[in-house]
Amino acid sequence: MRYTSFLFAGSAMMAVLSTTAYAQSGAVPTAPAPAEAQDTTTQNGSLEEIVVTAQKREQNLQDVPVAVSAISSEQIEARGVSAITDVARVSPSLTITENTNATGSSINLRGIGTFSFSIGIEPSVAIVVDDVALLQQAQAFSGLNDIERLEVLRGPQGTLFGKNAAAGVINIVTKAPTKQLSGSIGATATSDDQRRLEGMLSGPIGENVGFRINGFYDDRDGYIRNLNTGHMLNGERSYGARGRLDLDVTPTLDVVLTGNYTNTRSNGQVRTFRSVNSGASVFGAPISGSIVGIEPSDSNYTIRLDTEPLNVSKQAMFTGKATLDLGAANLISITAYQDWRFHFVEDLDTLGTPTLLNTADPTSILPNGSAATASFHAKNFTQELRLVSTGARRFDYLVALFYANGHTDRDYARGPNAAASWEASADTETFAAFAQGTYDFTDTTHLDAGVRFNREKIGATFLNTTAGAAAVANNGSCLAECRGRDSDNQVTYKASLRQDIAEQVMVYASYATGYKGQGFDISTGFTPARAANPVRPETSQAYEIGLKSRLFDNKLQLNLTGFWTDFKDFQAQGGVTLADGTIVPQLSNVGALRSRGVEAELSAKPTRLLRIDASAAYTDAKIREFANAPCYTGQTLAQGCVPATGGSTFQDLSGATLANSPKFKYNISANYDVEFPKLAFDGFITAEWAYQSKVKLDLLGSPISYQDAYGVFNGSVGIQGRDEADFRVALFVNNLFNQHYATSLGYTGSSNAQAVAQLLPRNSRRYVGIRTRVGF
């Protein structure tokens, strides 16, 4: 009851942050000039229309029968949204699990996301950049730059966005060229030693060509101190550039060419100790020697490591989009190629003291312990061809063909303890045809329906290169290269009925089916059996009802959503503990899940100078059937861990709550403009509070994996130019009350004397800074 009360109070009083989206009155210009983009409200202080491309065509947000949050470039700047992890602060039902490197992180909507070690498993939440879906979810963690709009679509979106959108989509739209020559330069400096520079130049080249180029350089020291070396870990250095050309080739043909490159190098994320039991050890070495001078706690930002981590990400993407005006419809072609390389080095034992190669032999000392390294290389080519109707008519339509060919290589090595090394690859080739139409029965009653046929071919190769490996010792793993091939066909569909019940008030009900493709469990322990039996596809059935409204002369926007989604064969990462204590990663199909709840989003402009945005979500996401789930580390028979054949163990997780799915989550933000009539600038004040309830961070239910409820307050004050003066200066604070929280919790050490390790993200501690931007 307490959560329900807060939900309705938040939705009635505050405001959906996400509806502050890309706003412009009516028509959407090809590229708004900077001065036009600074204010998202009309002159009389009311809210403007919000235009989104959530259904692959430009539509008013309030006409789209989808639960979608839209975050404008103004909100991105004002609220300091600079990474994909920041989006969770400003969108209901979105949570992000950060891990020791991006390949272990996951993005979740309404409790549903994908955490997998395998390169052969696609995400449940698709990340789409300028109409192109990223192949590997880890590619999304390279930072955000020069973004026009972020759209978060909640619930299955496979009809339009494909097989990797089973739980939703984060649609990223970058900025287009401006109609007049313009430019800007910005800088950020923080108390935790971040220094960032970014610049942009945009405008026309003659009558028929527009350009936009932007670049950035970001250098941030770490915030976790390694007492062994004195170095600060979890820092990051990155740089990147994007170039775009818009060409009016003929009066009926437009072409957009975009190229983007980012390079990110970090020395984290590392875990620290939250607690250490007496006698805890790793690979025969007592942990006590590695916590000298450290007090394990939920606010511990120190560690001792003998191998410092390294993460390097290099990503390039090239996109060509051509639009041919056929009169009654536009024919659109989108061709893209992406290339992503990633390499990491991690301390495997999380210690800064020697370990033993053989726990029974005290002379088998390993002075530098054990480490793990891996390299990834993903390439993906996509081609989409759409025919989209134009103009106002009783029946609007979109029909399209899609093709994708992706390939990912990975090598992995760890040791000398728990030694394993292998080389693998994953292939996916997709053919799809889809269509969606809108039929207006009357001026107030509308039907939206779509269908997609998807055919996918997948492949995997795996070679076990562990030194001295033997088939028996490695569970029959692939000493000679294992190969797997399979294919699958699937039809998904969606239907929505909308009814306008008053001017600018609409209700809708929808039903959709979702699908995430099958995949190979490519990880340590891969066997011929895995090559012959890919993990089954994940399917879902989703029901949604919603209200979208504009009230009080466009001064209030309130959107409400109720959802109920049943998942079958959900793909979940776990591990099987063998009789010798070795944990072998294993991807499993959970029998059934259910996610249901209520979401509210609100934007209000009570006065010309004050804007309030808020969102709230109550989510009940549970496992309905998972009788043969792996046990968590250290789980006993009394705690439900049951021995099985072959020395493995299992537990029954039926009825358990999903990981990283807080029951209640809300955020409230306010922006107040302060006028200085006698000066050339005005002031502003922003405040934001984001809260989430207690959450379990481990699917398998380890009792130490719960993060207590917490709230974080961010704020800023500053000045910005008025009229022709284009500049902004903001002093800001992140996490004002220094609220510490973890995004990952787990055991380390032996199962009979455990220690708890945590991942504390950068935003889990207070820092202050200044952001400046000057444009022309």
Side-chain angles (χ1 to χ4, degrees):
M1 289 300 294
R2 176 168 61 93
Y3 292 150
T4 306
S5 300
F6 279 139
L7 178 62
F8 284 104
S11 64
M13 295 176 59
M14 306 292 177
V16 107
L17 83 162
S18 50
T19 52
T20 352
Y22 179 59
Q24 38 226 116
S25 295
V28 184
T30 303
E36 297 172 336
Q38 288 180 0
D39 188 12
T40 59
T41 58
T42 58
Q43 293 299 315
N44 65 2
S46 60
L47 299 168
E48 285 195 350
E49 290 184 357
I50 302 167
V51 176
V52 296
T53 53
Q55 296 193 121
K56 296 199 172 185
R57 61 193 308 158
E58 293 174 349
Q59 294 176 289
N60 186 325
L61 172 66
Q62 298 304 93
D63 294 334
V64 178
V66 176
V68 53
S69 305
I71 307 160
S72 70
S73 58
E74 293 79 19
Q75 285 289 86
I76 290 171
E77 181 178 46
R79 302 177 70 171
V81 178
S82 60
I84 202 73
T85 51
D86 295 325
V87 183
R89 290 193 283 112
V90 296
S91 180
S93 304
L94 175 65
T95 56
I96 296 178
T97 303
E98 295 181 74
N99 218 308
T100 51
N101 65 73
T103 62
S105 299
S106 66
I107 300 172
N108 314 279
L109 279 167
R110 296 174 174 173
I112 307 299
T114 298
F115 165 59
S116 173
F117 297 125
S118 174
I119 55 175
I121 299 297
E122 61 197 16
S124 295
V125 178
I127 309 298
V128 177
V129 181
D130 291 336
D131 288 308
V132 180
L134 301 182
L135 179 62
Q136 297 288 342
Q137 185 171 255
Q139 295 174 245
F141 291 86
S142 296
L144 301 171
N145 187 54
D146 207 37
I147 305 301
E148 178 62 39
R149 184 174 69 257
L150 291 168
E151 300 170 3
V152 182
L153 288 66
R154 306 185 294 277
Q157 306 296 328
T159 301
L160 289 178
F161 289 93
K163 60 189 176 60
N164 60 347
V169 173
I170 297 180
N171 188 33
I172 302 172
V173 181
T174 63
K175 291 185 176 181
T178 52
K179 293 180 180 179
Q180 298 178 344
L181 184 63
S182 61
S184 67
I185 185 168
T188 301
T190 68
S191 60
D192 64 347
D193 295 318
Q194 179 186 18
R195 303 293 183 268
R196 179 182 176 92
L197 289 173
E198 52 192 310
M200 178 277 294
L201 186 65
S202 177
I205 305 176
E207 292 185 7
N208 301 319
V209 180
F211 78 97
R212 187 182 188 96
I213 55 174
N214 72 279
F216 72 93
Y217 176 82
D218 199 339
D219 191 352
R220 174 176 58 81
D221 288 351
Y223 57 92
I224 303 291
R225 183 174 296 277
N226 182 4
L227 296 183
N228 271 17
T229 64
H231 296 161
M232 301 300 291
L233 305 180
N234 289 17
E236 182 177 286
R237 179 177 298 170
S238 61
Y239 60 89
R242 175 184 290 111
R244 171 169 167 166
L245 281 177
D246 286 17
L247 301 93
D248 297 332
V249 180
T250 72
T252 59
L253 177 63
D254 299 327
V255 175
V256 177
L257 303 175
T258 305
N260 178 63
Y261 176 79
T262 58
N263 185 305
T264 303
R265 184 183 183 92
S266 70
N267 58 359
Q269 312 247 19
V270 300
R271 300 174 186 266
T272 66
F273 287 110
R274 175 168 285 204
S275 64
V276 178
N277 293 345
S278 177
S281 63
V282 178
F283 297 135
I287 295 179
S288 59
S290 288
I291 59 172
V292 174
I294 297 174
E295 183 177 347
S297 70
D298 61 1
S299 58
N300 172 28
Y301 290 85
T302 56
I303 190 68
R304 289 186 181 275
L305 292 178
D306 43 35
T307 300
E308 295 188 332
L310 174 67
N311 296 285
V312 179
S313 174
K314 300 178 181 179
Q315 182 169 196
M317 180 180 292
F318 305 94
T319 306
K321 180 177 181 179
T323 303
L324 179 63
D325 185 352
L326 301 177
N330 286 335
L331 182 63
I332 303 172
S333 172
I334 302 170
T335 307
Y337 176 77
Q338 53 188 279
D339 186 290
W340 176 66
R341 298 171 186 266
F342 184 75
H343 177 75
F344 75 76
V345 178
E346 292 181 353
D347 190 302
L348 184 63
D349 49 51
T350 323
L351 300 182
T353 52
T355 60
L356 299 179
L357 179 61
N358 181 356
T359 57
D361 181 4
T363 64
S364 60
I365 297 174
L366 299 172
N368 297 317
S370 289
T373 65
S375 294
F376 300 74
H377 185 195
K379 297 177 288 185
N380 195 34
F381 170 81
T382 60
Q383 173 64 56
E384 185 170 334
L385 194 64
R386 302 180 200 156
L387 185 67
V388 184
S389 63
T390 58
R393 62 187 71 225
R394 183 172 292 274
F395 178 67
D396 292 321
Y397 61 86
L398 178 155
V399 294
L401 298 173
F402 177 79
Y403 173 77
N405 191 323
H407 178 86
T408 304
D409 292 315
R410 182 186 180 186
D411 61 64
Y412 178 77
R414 72 181 186 202
N417 300 109
S421 63
W422 45 267
E423 300 171 354
S425 67
D427 294 288
T428 174
E429 187 176 27
T430 301
F431 306 85
F434 59 95
Q436 180 160 302
T438 298
Y439 183 74
D440 299 329
F441 290 107
T442 69
D443 290 341
T444 60
T445 305
H446 321 276
L447 175 67
D448 301 88
V451 63
R452 185 185 191 98
F453 170 77
N454 194 90
R455 175 170 176 78
E456 182 184 27
K457 299 178 181 179
I458 60 172
T461 64
F462 188 96
L463 177 64
N464 184 358
T465 58
T466 306
V472 175
N474 285 273
N475 307 299
S477 61
C478 306
L479 300 179
E481 186 176 78
C482 292
R483 291 181 175 269
R485 294 287 183 269
D486 213 321
S487 63
D488 190 27
N489 299 330
Q490 185 73 24
V491 174
T492 57
Y493 53 91
K494 180 177 183 178
S496 304
L497 184 64
R498 291 183 283 136
Q499 179 65 47
D500 302 326
I501 60 176
E503 186 177 0
Q504 294 191 305
V505 180
M506 179 265 283
V507 293
Y508 72 90
S510 68
Y511 172 77
T513 61
Y515 164 77
K516 188 175 83 167
Q518 61 181 345
F520 289 101
D521 183 12
I522 304 172
S523 58
T524 301
F526 193 84
T527 63
R530 290 192 191 181
N533 299 284
V535 179
R536 296 189 301 276
E538 179 182 306
T539 59
S540 62
Q541 295 179 308
Y543 306 85
E544 190 169 291
I545 57 174
L547 165 73
K548 294 195 172 185
S549 63
R550 281 288 184 97
L551 306 168
F552 307 118
D553 195 25
N554 280 334
K555 292 184 181 296
L556 176 70
Q557 177 172 291
L558 174 63
N559 295 342
L560 300 172
T561 307
F563 62 91
W564 183 303
T565 307
D566 288 318
F567 287 81
K568 182 180 179 182
D569 287 331
F570 179 74
Q571 297 167 353
Q573 181 68 56
V576 175
T577 303
L578 303 181
D580 63 358
T582 302
I583 299 176
V584 177
Q586 177 176 295
L587 196 71
S588 305
N589 285 109
V590 175
L593 304 181
R594 173 170 291 163
S595 176
R596 56 188 178 182
V598 180
E599 299 160 336
E601 298 181 294
L602 184 149
S603 289
K605 200 80 168 60
T607 73
R608 184 173 58 87
L609 301 178
L610 174 63
R611 178 175 181 127
I612 302 173
D613 296 287
S615 65
Y618 175 83
T619 305
D620 179 26
K622 289 187 176 180
I623 301 171
R624 296 179 60 206
E625 299 174 13
F626 196 10
N628 296 315
C631 297
Y632 59 79
T633 302
Q635 187 175 6
T636 65
L637 181 63
Q639 293 170 319
C641 186
V642 180
T645 57
S648 60
T649 55
F650 294 95
Q651 62 170 320
D652 187 354
L653 282 178
S654 302
T657 302
L658 273 182
N660 211 349
S661 177
K663 283 279 188 182
F664 189 62
K665 180 174 180 282
Y666 73 85
N667 62 78
I668 303 168
S669 72
N671 185 93
Y672 185 74
D673 292 326
V674 182
E675 292 184 327
F676 300 129
K678 296 182 179 181
L679 300 177
F681 56 84
D682 291 325
F684 61 85
I685 302 172
T686 68
E688 172 190 301
W689 172 257
Y691 171 89
Q692 72 172 41
S693 59
K694 184 177 181 179
V695 65
K696 178 177 69 174
L697 297 176
D698 173 30
L699 175 71
L700 303 183
S702 172
I704 54 86
S705 70
Y706 287 85
Q707 169 60 52
D708 289 338
Y710 65 89
V712 173
F713 180 87
N714 299 331
S716 67
V717 296
I719 58 174
Q720 59 186 1
R722 186 173 61 245
D723 299 327
E724 298 301 321
D726 181 19
F727 69 89
R728 181 182 175 94
V729 180
L731 299 174
F732 66 91
V733 59
N734 176 83
N735 199 345
L736 176 64
F737 303 115
N738 208 29
Q739 173 66 63
H740 304 299
Y741 60 90
T743 58
S744 176
L745 287 166
Y747 283 122
T748 186
S750 59
S751 60
N752 62 345
Q754 295 142 341
V756 177
Q758 61 190 350
L759 196 153
L760 301 171
R762 179 199 182 192
N763 289 333
S764 68
R765 61 188 314 197
R766 179 175 54 241
Y767 60 88
V768 299
I770 181 171
R771 296 190 193 97
T772 63
R773 178 181 55 79
V774 178
F776 66 88

